[in-house]
Each structure stands twice: as C-alpha cells, then as structure tokens.
Amino acid sequence: MIKIERKATWKAKKAMESLQHAKQTSSMYNTPEVNSALREMFHGKCYICENKQITSYQIEHLIPHRKNKELKYHWENLFLSCAHCNNTKLGKYEPILDCTKEDIEAIIAFRKKGYFGTEEELVFESRDSREEVQNTIKLLQMVYYGSTPQKRMEARVLRTIWNNRAITK
C-alpha cells in the first residue's frame, strides 16, 4: 500500500458533486464521475494490493457504511479496489490504515523470505501495535495468501505480480 494524495482535481470536484446528488436522491454512489476520479487518484491501481492489471474495478468503503448514508457517500471514504481485495476485506478488518493519510510503507515493512528455488514468502512486519496497523497486516496476509481455495488461487497470481514488480524496481 502506497501513500496516495487526495488532490482537489477537476475530476474529484465533479465526483463530489455527483456524490452529493446521489445522496440526495438515494441513488448509487458508483457514478461515472466517481469512478473516473478514483481511477485518476489511485493511478488505476488497487489501493490494497497495488495491482494495475485490474480486470474488475470496485469502489471500496474504507470504513464499511453499514447503511450509514454519510459514510456511504463520503468522498474520503471511497477507494479504488480490485474485486479480490474488496471481497477479501469486506467488513472483517476494521479499522485499517488510511493510505491517503498515512505512509503505510513507513509503518509496515513488506519483506520477502526465501530465495529463488525455495518457497518464497511475503512477510508484513511492524513494531507499531495500534489496532489499525495490526488489522492492516492481517488484511494484507489474507490478500496475498487467501483463506479459501479460490482466494488462494487469486493470491498466488497477486504474489507473482508482486514478485515481478519487485524485480523491475
């Protein structure tokens, strides 16, 4: 998870206007303006796994709205996510770190144990004991390793993408 700046761009302003209208009319928050602004802000990447090869974009609520209208339509609560990460997170991990407010890479170390030819493993470590840090680590572990056969298959693909990205850096 990398630090993302929420800039007040033209697209972001249009998205906020769209959200205000959607809230007043109780319509969907996933308007074209919101989708476009989130893709721009998150550089087309999932905010959790940073995958840029997303085939299914979703709008993720950092704090689950649970029918709370304010949270449902609040611009700063909306994040761009891939289906794998959004469906892994659901409402299970809260609170988590907000990558628009904190530099996650300065809080959580992303390490790889093992070497080529052995079973390599991604490890997420932090000395910070805050609940949101520990929940973010648990979420990352589930994203990259899964808890069901399907999620484990999806996670294997993400680890391959992560490894290829690490090699090219």
Side-chain angles (χ1 to χ4, degrees):
M1 297 171 78
I2 60 169
K3 179 95 167 85
I4 299 290
E5 187 178 345
R6 279 194 186 266
K7 296 179 181 174
T9 65
W10 177 83
K11 284 185 179 183
K13 290 175 185 173
K14 287 290 181 192
M16 287 185 270
E17 289 171 12
S18 173
L19 284 168
Q20 187 63 31
H21 181 263
K23 181 179 167 185
Q24 291 169 350
T25 60
S26 295
S27 54
M28 290 302 296
Y29 56 83
N30 62 345
T31 66
E33 296 84 4
V34 171
N35 278 284
S36 179
L38 287 174
R39 274 195 315 276
E40 175 185 66
M41 181 173 61
F42 288 94
H43 310 287
K45 295 193 273 188
C46 171
Y47 85 101
I48 297 173
C49 71
E50 297 180 45
N51 184 3
K52 200 168 190 161
Q53 300 170 355
I54 297 175
T55 57
S56 179
Y57 286 99
Q58 296 188 357
I59 296 176
E60 208 307 274
H61 290 84
L62 183 72
I63 303 168
H65 63 82
R66 294 189 177 97
K67 300 187 182 189
N68 175 325
K69 206 170 186 179
E70 294 304 315
L71 284 175
K72 183 176 183 177
Y73 296 98
H74 186 58
W75 172 243
E76 293 191 9
N77 194 37
L78 302 180
F79 289 69
L80 187 66
S81 178
C82 69
H84 172 74
C85 289
N86 192 25
N87 294 328
T88 298
K89 180 181 172 278
L90 297 172
K92 297 177 194 172
Y93 305 93
E94 60 176 292
I96 66 168
L97 293 169
D98 182 341
C99 65
T100 66
K101 296 182 177 152
E102 297 193 67
D103 182 0
I104 310 304
E105 291 182 328
I107 300 168
I108 299 174
F110 296 66
R111 305 205 192 291
K112 186 164 69 166
K113 287 173 71 175
Y115 54 91
F116 184 75
T118 67
E119 188 63 34
E120 297 175 329
E121 178 184 2
L122 293 176
V123 179
F124 310 98
E125 300 173 335
S126 178
R127 291 192 175 119
D128 191 324
S129 61
R130 290 180 291 157
E131 182 182 16
E132 56 265 37
V133 174
Q134 297 309 309
N135 285 340
T136 302
I137 289 172
K138 288 174 189 171
L139 171 60
L140 289 168
Q141 288 169 335
M142 281 300 115
V143 162
Y144 284 101
Y145 288 95
S147 59
T148 66
Q150 180 181 350
K151 290 294 178 194
R152 283 191 284 276
M153 285 190 310
E154 293 171 1
R156 191 174 308 119
V157 171
L158 278 179
R159 288 194 311 273
T160 301
I161 292 168
W162 192 89
N163 282 330
N164 290 338
R165 186 174 62 221
I167 291 168
T168 59
K169 278 188 177 179

